[in-house]
Amino acid sequence: MTNDLRIRIDAADLPGLVCSPAAFADGSVQTYRNVHVAVQRRARREELLDPQPGDATSATWTLPCTTTAAPSGIDIKGPYVQGRPGERFVYLSWGTVDEPGTFTMFRRAKLLLGAVPTDVLDAATRTGLLVGRLGLTDSHGCPLCARVVPPAITWTAEPTG
């Protein structure tokens, strides 16, 4: 049986419009300007959901999904859900936006859906809404990247409405 589910990502603590996360062996530093973050569509790196400026107070994205029972538990699918069954995740892509509005990605955060506590995911399949709350600035003041699991993200099931 397939159930509808929405995943809402509530983000706070964005790092700003300018960051310098990459230091090179020669001591030079890459600076990124007009930094934005968005959810990346599955298999379409250039297709992004609602890019938000890096200096926004907060950012929220709601993703349409479906769930089905699978041997490994509940499988989540949707246009913004990446990966194979048992290894699903959502990408938050960080990039710069130039004058004509072109987004050029320089790093990503991988929100691992397999790290959602089982009881929370079970409850979310009943309520219809899974919410992930996280800060988007890493310990160096740069855009959060790499694998994101609790406690860096908090997952809850909430009622739709």
Side-chain angles (χ1 to χ4, degrees):
M1 179 175 171
T2 300
N3 295 307
D4 289 333
L5 175 73
R6 290 183 304 157
I7 297 175
R8 190 178 76 216
I9 300 166
D10 290 339
D13 188 32
L14 280 77
L17 289 174
V18 178
C19 69
S20 301
F24 298 99
D26 66 1
S28 65
V29 175
Q30 174 70 49
T31 298
Y32 297 101
R33 300 187 189 288
N34 201 19
V35 172
H36 282 64
V37 61
V39 175
Q40 179 183 315
R41 188 175 179 96
R42 180 183 68 248
R44 296 185 184 147
R45 190 175 192 169
E46 69 288 342
E47 194 172 325
L48 303 168
L49 177 64
D50 198 17
Q52 297 293 307
D55 65 348
T57 304
S58 62
T60 298
W61 299 273
T62 301
L63 316 177
C65 301
T66 59
T67 62
T68 55
S72 60
I74 297 171
D75 188 28
I76 303 172
K77 296 179 184 178
Y80 297 95
V81 176
Q82 316 270 346
R84 298 184 303 232
E87 300 174 7
R88 303 282 193 205
F89 60 91
V90 173
Y91 269 139
L92 293 182
S93 294
W94 291 97
T96 58
V97 177
D98 64 13
E99 190 78 20
T102 303
F103 183 96
T104 304
M105 187 183 72
F106 65 87
R107 73 178 0 174
R108 295 187 287 200
K110 192 176 192 177
L111 310 184
L112 298 179
L113 298 176
V116 175
T118 303
D119 62 325
V120 171
L121 186 53
D122 288 344
T125 61
R126 291 189 303 276
T127 66
L129 181 61
L130 176 65
V131 178
R133 291 183 178 84
L134 73 161
L136 293 182
T137 300
D138 71 12
S139 62
H140 303 286
C142 295
L144 182 70
C145 68
R147 297 166 40 100
V148 180
V149 298
I153 187 168
T154 302
W155 293 103
T156 58
E158 297 188 10
T160 59

